[in-house]
Amino acid sequence: MPNLPMSRRALLKSSVIAGISVYIAPLGSQAFAALFEEKILRPVQVDPKTGAPRFRVDGMAKVTGEKVFARDVRARDMPHWPQQQSHAFILRATQADRPYQGFDLGLLGEELKPDRVVTAEDLARDGVAFPAFYGEDMLLPPGKTPAYLGHAVAILIYHDFARFRFAKDKLKFQDKVIRYGEKTGPLERDPWGTFRFVRVGGATPFADDVFSSLKDAPVFPSMMRKHQPVWPDGNDHGQLGEQGMAHAGAIRKELAQPPADWLVLEREYKTQSVDTAALEPDNANGWYDRATRTMHLVAATQSPSEVVESAAEMAAKAQAAFPIEKIVVHPCYTVGYGSKDHYNFPFYGLAAALYADGKPVRLANDRYEQFQTSIKRHAFTMRYRVAVDRKSGLFQSFQGDLECNGGGRANFSPSVAMVGATAAQSIYYFPKSDLSAVAIASRAIDAGSARGYGTLQSMAAMEVMADEFAEQLKLDPIEFRLRNALRSGMKNTQGAIPGGAVRADEVLLAAQAHPIWKERGQRKTAYEAGHPGWRYGVGFACVQKDFGTGAESSLARVEVAADGRIALHHSGAEIGTGMSTSQAVAVARWLGKPASDVRVAITDWPELPVVTSGDPYLMSQEEQDKLSANPRWSPAYVSPASATNSAYYYTHSTREAARVIFMQGLWPAALSIWSQGIGGGQAAPLIVRVEDARWVDGKLTAGGLQPLPLEQLARTAHEQGLVTGAAVHVFNRWQWSEADFEINGQMVRLPIDGLSLSYAPKKDASASNNTSSTNTTNSTPSEGAAPDSSWHVLDRSKVYIPPVQRNNAAVTYYSALATLIELAVHEASGQVSVLKHHSIMECGTQLSPELVSGQLQGGVAMGIGHALHEYLPLYEEGPGNGTWNFNRYHLPLARDVAVWTQTGQALPPLSETDPPKGIAEVVMIPVVGAIVNGIAHAIGHRFTELPVTPQRIQEVLT
């Protein structure tokens, strides 16, 4: 955005938050050209034979090293910024059991003295503080004990790079820079969150529940005592929480004193803290322009909207010292798998910019700093007690107590604990269950969103336990799983029925028939005979992972030009998963071919104004009903790129926009062409129904009618002034919101909650004559739209938002996946060698099989790393002390992951109408359980703590 007063167009492109205009903008510079126009988002090239993209939208840039990340951007790349780049780094406390007493920069001398030092005193004086989500003490004041290892205490700013670089090197690993008082012990705090889900099913898995979270309510603590939750007293006829605890008490009593025909196992499982190991370390580059009261920020983020909203919240608190009227955030491509979703680094960049004397300042972690500060995967301790009927081999009751270490700031720890508990059942049906979860506060580094989101920990443990049950019951492990697998129409541990067909049993049957499984006995004998000193094992695990958050929302805009070119704009961000390519493909279902022009991370939607307020998870039904009377309101605006949400949730908005264009533009155009001529043309002798419409080789036909290419349909739609563009907003709370809209005089119910249409101007009439909606608003043409088009925002007549009670379902969407692992254990060293692995996925209709394959390969590698290699000590010896790098942290390498012998398959969809399912997280989860089970098959010992290192194996073998 130029350093000029805001134009009317600029104002339309902005939103106002906390009284501050906020704007998310692409990089308007040389970097923007490299990022979007010339290098990255090249037009989609389609294979003429298959109609599929030949490669990823950003594929060329990735393989040639031309892909531009936020880390690559400097002030000189932003033409309206001052060209001198300043630099900053952060001093951090490496002890968290004693009060911080200040710092000493004497090592730097006068030559390397910072140009500006920012401390907690400055922030307090000026009203600069974290947005509420991130907690207190952005910079720690003297006299307080650090909340966690690596707690920031000061920002050092330099206006030239050389002095910055020398100073940073001079202070690295110097423990005496930070001063401390006497040891007093770490802070003790209440947990970040606690949850309990109790379910007592009916007489059959399909009967009404006696009690469940969805039917009744989850159970919450009545109070905290000594930082531990105190649950309500059990009372059969009391309040819902008391009723839940009465059922929980009965379940636990029965498991403690089980019937004679029950087999009860009680185990404790532990998983470690790991680094999210993002390729791009955290970084931000900001410039505060006091003259125009504008804050500019280049940031690497999975959630651009969250950054700009939180930046506005932060700026609003500091208006007296730093008047800010506009915030401009430039999002870039990034990678992170959770590590850049709701992370605090951009706000340190913003704070640095405020104190940089009007100069752009760059704050960027090196890899040591990244290990010290980046979001970690939660370490879990899980205590499971589970009963199986010995005769039938069926699960009876499940008691689970889960504890995850959230570290020093809350972040997403409450929801990670909740999701871990709701996933603990894995693929199985339990008639009774009592699952509690607590996210504790500790002095460890913040843990938050990471691939698997708590389910990796809880389901891997259940899969290890399932194998042990099978062993004690003398059943084939897959046969045992088949007996207990959740089937379609059964309820999960919250009492919710999963959406659609549950196909875990089909995945199990496919695994059972695979040679790795069928021949495991013979292969073990042959391998060990040919490899003295090695023990061979086959491991198996099968899980089903939820996808989504329960408050998913997105915006999509699709436009068809007169020559048939398709443009797609989407609010979702590209973080290396290929969503920009998959969304281009998604429009083909309704428009016959992929979009050729794709833009992502768009939050500029003047053609479809949507407002939101309240918390979609916590609001009351009364509040939702009142707010939804506003036809522009939705419970949420846009979702970040997280929670495996692109394939299903992002695709929904993309396809609904394309579907509106088809139904209101292309289909009427086709009918007009087929009806040309005397007597109603070629269509008159036939029965023509829209449900018979099919795209074949890029041409539209229906019931034997002449195939019409998209180019002809688009030209006709434009000539007739039909709908050629649609923008939609969608919301999902474990089911989709729907709304009634009047379009061309007809009432239509659509699974969206916001709609705007663009009509091509007729040659003989204005575009406004094309809509019969009584509540339409013309807005300025959208950027990228034809200059003579106009957008019409349709007010919904009625909206059907899922009730807030639906939050208690916790999850309804699942993808199932199983993994078979062949491995060998070296007796002398304890080294585990992964020989081969095969995965079986159930992911609906694949948008891009190549992208699914890539997700699978990356996920398997991460699972192998989690099971065998990756480990971070939580406290003083861990990365919070600032000394960790990849020289101490073992990420799996090519030799560790069986690159050349890995295989995978996907179950075919039930029909071509199956939606795509989220697969990015589930691909890594069964790998962990399969490896632990494979080691047990190899050496006869079942590990319950991760990672399974050579040292631990040696202890068992010796």
Side-chain angles (χ1 to χ4, degrees):
M1 178 180 286
N3 186 10
L4 295 170
M6 293 188 76
S7 65
R8 178 178 177 276
R9 175 63 179 147
L11 182 62
L12 286 170
K13 290 162 67 70
S14 301
S15 300
V16 176
I17 300 173
I20 299 170
S21 296
V22 295
Y23 177 47
I24 299 180
L27 290 170
S29 62
Q30 298 165 3
F32 168 70
L35 180 61
F36 289 103
E37 294 178 347
E38 296 176 5
K39 303 288 180 66
I40 303 298
L41 294 182
R42 297 175 177 178
V44 177
Q45 297 188 26
V46 176
D47 186 320
K49 294 182 179 179
T50 65
R54 292 179 57 199
F55 41 75
R56 289 175 56 139
V57 171
D58 57 348
M60 263 320 168
K62 286 173 70 73
V63 300
T64 59
E66 295 175 331
K67 193 165 183 176
V68 176
F69 294 86
R71 192 174 182 84
D72 301 317
V73 176
R74 302 293 187 275
R76 63 177 178 270
D77 297 311
M78 311 297 287
H80 59 287
W81 287 24
Q83 298 299 285
Q84 180 185 346
Q85 179 73 72
S86 297
H87 299 268
F89 64 96
I90 297 175
L91 293 182
R92 298 183 180 273
T94 57
Q95 300 290 330
D97 58 357
R98 60 205 70 191
Y100 159 68
Q101 299 290 10
F103 55 87
D104 181 0
L105 299 181
L107 283 172
L108 297 179
E110 283 300 315
E111 288 188 358
L112 299 180
K113 183 179 178 181
D115 294 303
R116 183 71 165 88
V117 177
V118 185
T119 65
E121 182 182 2
D122 298 311
L123 302 189
R125 180 193 66 230
D126 299 330
V128 178
F130 264 150
F133 176 83
Y134 299 95
E136 300 177 344
D137 293 333
M138 186 177 193
L139 296 177
L140 188 69
K144 294 188 72 172
T145 298
Y148 53 97
L149 295 153
H151 200 147
V153 300
I155 303 172
L156 277 56
I157 300 173
Y158 289 82
H159 296 318
D160 65 290
F161 180 77
R163 293 172 60 250
F164 156 80
R165 182 71 263 175
F166 279 118
K168 188 172 183 179
D169 288 346
K170 193 84 170 178
L171 297 183
K172 190 178 290 293
F173 311 134
Q174 298 294 332
D175 293 335
K176 295 182 180 180
V177 172
I178 307 296
R179 300 195 301 263
Y180 302 96
E182 295 298 320
K183 185 175 180 179
T184 55
L187 297 178
E188 294 185 6
R189 291 168 285 174
D190 286 347
W192 298 127
T194 55
F195 301 88
R196 194 165 194 156
F197 302 92
V198 179
R199 176 178 176 268
V200 177
T204 73
F206 306 98
D208 289 343
D209 287 342
V210 175
F211 185 93
S212 72
S213 298
L214 179 58
K215 175 176 173 286
D216 300 287
V219 181
F220 295 99
S222 56
M223 60 181 297
M224 290 287 167
R225 183 179 296 137
K226 296 182 178 180
H227 309 297
Q228 295 296 318
V230 177
W231 301 101
D233 293 331
N235 185 341
D236 289 332
H237 304 289
Q239 297 180 353
L240 288 177
E242 294 172 326
Q243 293 179 37
M245 287 307 301
H247 290 296
I251 291 170
R252 294 185 176 231
K253 181 178 179 181
E254 192 173 38
L255 284 167
Q257 300 173 342
D261 55 354
W262 280 16
L263 170 62
V264 177
L265 294 183
E266 185 172 359
R267 298 288 182 268
E268 181 176 275
Y269 300 97
K270 292 184 177 181
T271 66
Q272 75 279 32
S273 170
V274 304
D275 195 73
T276 41
L279 174 66
E280 181 189 23
D282 297 344
N283 64 91
N285 201 342
W287 170 45
Y288 173 52
D289 182 1
R290 186 177 284 272
T292 62
R293 300 188 173 189
T294 303
M295 170 61 71
H296 303 262
L297 188 68
V298 176
T301 176
Q302 293 174 232
S303 46
S305 291
E306 186 274 329
V307 169
V308 75
E309 290 169 9
S310 294
E313 178 188 340
M314 183 173 170
K317 300 174 183 177
Q319 284 291 344
F322 301 102
I324 295 176
E325 297 177 359
K326 300 187 291 287
I327 295 177
V328 184
V329 171
H330 300 274
C332 298
Y333 277 94
T334 189
V335 288
Y337 279 107
S339 68
K340 291 182 176 63
D341 179 12
H342 286 72
Y343 73 125
N344 61 34
F345 201 88
F347 310 109
Y348 282 108
L350 191 153
L354 292 175
Y355 292 97
D357 302 323
K359 298 178 176 61
V361 60
R362 179 174 182 264
L363 183 68
N365 277 347
D366 60 28
R367 189 56 69 173
Y368 288 101
E369 293 167 318
Q370 185 70 6
F371 267 96
Q372 188 179 29
T373 63
S374 68
I375 289 174
K376 303 295 184 273
R377 183 188 303 285
H378 290 78
F380 264 69
T381 298
M382 296 153 287
R383 300 172 185 89
Y384 290 173
R385 183 187 285 178
V386 180
V388 168
D389 180 81
R390 294 178 185 272
K391 295 178 181 179
S392 65
L394 295 179
F395 283 126
Q396 299 300 307
S397 292
F398 177 17
Q399 169 195 330
D401 297 310
L402 296 83
E403 178 184 281
C404 71
N405 193 318
R409 295 189 184 276
N411 203 275
F412 279 135
S413 292
S415 62
V416 169
M418 179 188 71
V419 172
T422 59
Q425 71 183 100
S426 190
I427 60 169
Y428 309 111
Y429 175 75
F430 289 91
K432 300 177 184 179
S433 53
D434 173 25
L435 304 172
S436 68
V438 57
I440 66 168
S442 77
R443 65 188 186 281
I445 300 171
D446 303 0
S449 178
R451 196 178 200 174
Y453 208 83
T455 69
L456 169 71
Q457 298 90 327
S458 63
M459 287 195 288
M462 177 54 69
E463 285 304 288
V464 174
M465 181 173 263
D467 252 39
E468 186 173 359
F469 267 118
E471 180 183 44
Q472 295 206 27
L473 295 171
K474 296 181 171 51
L475 289 173
D476 174 272
I478 295 183
E479 173 59 31
F480 174 73
R481 288 172 167 87
L482 279 165
R483 294 189 187 189
N484 287 284
L486 187 83
R487 260 66 174 193
S488 303
M490 291 182 176
K491 302 178 188 70
N492 62 21
T493 50
Q494 299 80 252
I497 298 174
V502 177
R503 304 179 68 190
D505 55 338
E506 296 179 55
V507 173
L508 290 169
L509 289 169
Q512 194 174 45
H514 196 275
I516 292 178
W517 187 253
K518 291 176 65 177
E519 301 168 6
R520 63 191 186 282
Q522 305 95 294
R523 293 187 182 205
K524 181 175 177 65
T525 300
Y527 187 91
E528 292 179 353
H531 299 80
W534 288 85
R535 298 192 191 179
Y536 173 95
V538 170
F540 174 77
C542 182
V543 304
Q544 56 188 18
K545 170 74 174 70
D546 68 298
F547 50 94
T549 65
E552 291 289 347
S553 55
S554 62
L555 287 139
R557 182 175 92 231
V558 177
E559 296 166 280
V560 179
D563 61 0
R565 289 180 295 109
I566 303 169
L568 168 66
H569 288 60
H570 206 286
S571 61
E574 172 67 85
I575 61 168
T577 60
M579 69 78 63
S580 52
T581 305
S582 66
Q583 293 310 298
V585 173
V587 304
R589 176 173 176 180
W590 290 103
L591 304 183
K593 68 178 184 180
S596 58
D597 180 26
V598 182
R599 294 292 182 268
V600 296
I602 302 297
T603 55
D604 167 23
W605 299 91
E607 64 281 354
L608 182 54
V610 175
V611 298
T612 187
S613 58
D615 188 321
Y617 300 104
L618 301 178
M619 68 175 53
S620 67
Q621 188 63 49
E622 181 182 10
E623 181 185 8
Q624 176 170 292
D625 292 343
K626 180 180 179 181
L627 291 168
S628 61
N630 179 354
R632 299 285 186 268
W633 182 83
S634 180
Y637 187 61
V638 294
S639 296
S642 62
T644 315
N645 60 5
S646 67
Y648 181 72
Y649 297 97
Y650 287 175
T651 298
H652 180 74
S653 54
T654 298
R655 282 186 169 167
E656 286 305 311
R659 181 178 181 272
V660 169
I661 294 173
F662 177 84
M663 298 297 292
Q664 305 298 328
L666 300 186
W667 180 248
L671 291 177
S672 70
I673 295 171
W674 288 326
S675 301
Q676 289 175 359
I678 189 170
Q682 63 175 287
L686 302 176
I687 303 300
V688 183
R689 294 189 176 100
V690 68
E691 57 263 34
D692 295 328
R694 298 291 186 274
W695 289 98
V696 181
D697 297 329
K699 297 179 180 180
L700 182 69
T701 184
L705 291 162
Q706 173 194 0
L708 304 174
L710 175 62
E711 292 75 11
Q712 182 180 1
L713 294 170
R715 184 169 61 252
T716 301
H718 276 264
E719 289 172 352
Q720 296 182 1
L722 300 172
V723 171
T724 56
V728 305
H729 182 270
V730 301
F731 172 75
N732 183 292
R733 184 188 280 131
W734 303 123
Q735 68 184 69
W736 291 107
S737 287
E738 298 182 18
D740 296 331
F741 297 92
E742 185 182 349
I743 305 176
N744 292 328
Q746 293 186 341
M747 195 63 67
V748 181
R749 181 176 294 188
L750 299 172
I752 62 179
D753 64 5
L755 174 64
S756 183
L757 301 178
S758 176
Y759 292 84
K762 282 186 178 180
K763 293 182 179 179
D764 57 350
S766 67
S768 61
N769 293 331
N770 290 292
T771 177
S772 59
S773 172
T774 57
N775 296 297
T776 59
T777 303
N778 292 328
S779 69
T780 303
S782 169
E783 186 176 344
D788 57 354
S789 71
S790 61
W791 286 92
H792 304 263
V793 183
L794 275 65
D795 282 348
R796 61 202 184 204
S797 300
K798 191 173 183 180
V799 67
Y800 311 88
I801 300 172
V804 297
Q805 179 77 4
R806 196 73 174 160
N807 282 319
N808 295 342
V811 58
T812 59
Y813 301 107
Y814 292 101
S815 296
L817 193 141
T819 301
L820 289 157
I821 295 272
E822 280 187 282
L823 55 79
V825 179
H826 191 243
E827 293 177 333
S829 67
Q831 186 71 37
V832 176
S833 176
V834 176
L835 305 174
K836 183 184 294 186
H837 49 83
H838 179 77
S839 296
I840 303 163
M841 298 173 283
E842 189 278 300
C843 54
T845 300
Q846 298 180 67
L847 291 167
S848 171
E850 295 82 3
L851 288 174
V852 174
S853 176
Q855 293 286 3
L856 175 63
Q857 293 173 52
V860 170
M862 290 180 74
I864 291 171
H866 187 79
L868 297 175
H869 304 295
E870 298 179 58
Y871 171 74
L872 290 173
L874 279 169
Y875 300 122
E876 282 72 19
E877 299 305 314
N881 65 23
T883 66
W884 279 71
N885 206 323
F886 285 122
N887 63 325
R888 303 179 65 182
Y889 187 81
H890 184 171
L891 277 181
L893 305 175
R895 65 173 180 266
D896 300 317
V897 300
V899 168
W900 305 114
T901 54
Q902 61 182 319
T903 54
Q905 69 184 89
L907 295 185
L910 298 173
S911 78
E912 75 277 6
T913 63
D914 285 18
K917 294 185 175 183
I919 203 73
E921 290 183 280
V922 70
V923 287
M924 77 171 294
I925 298 169
V927 179
V928 177
I931 286 177
V932 175
N933 290 333
I935 293 171
H937 182 224
I939 67 173
H941 181 81
R942 204 171 298 281
F943 288 93
T944 59
E945 185 172 353
L946 299 178
V948 183
T949 61
Q951 293 77 15
R952 286 178 174 158
I953 292 175
Q954 283 179 313
E955 290 172 2
V956 171
L957 293 179
T958 56

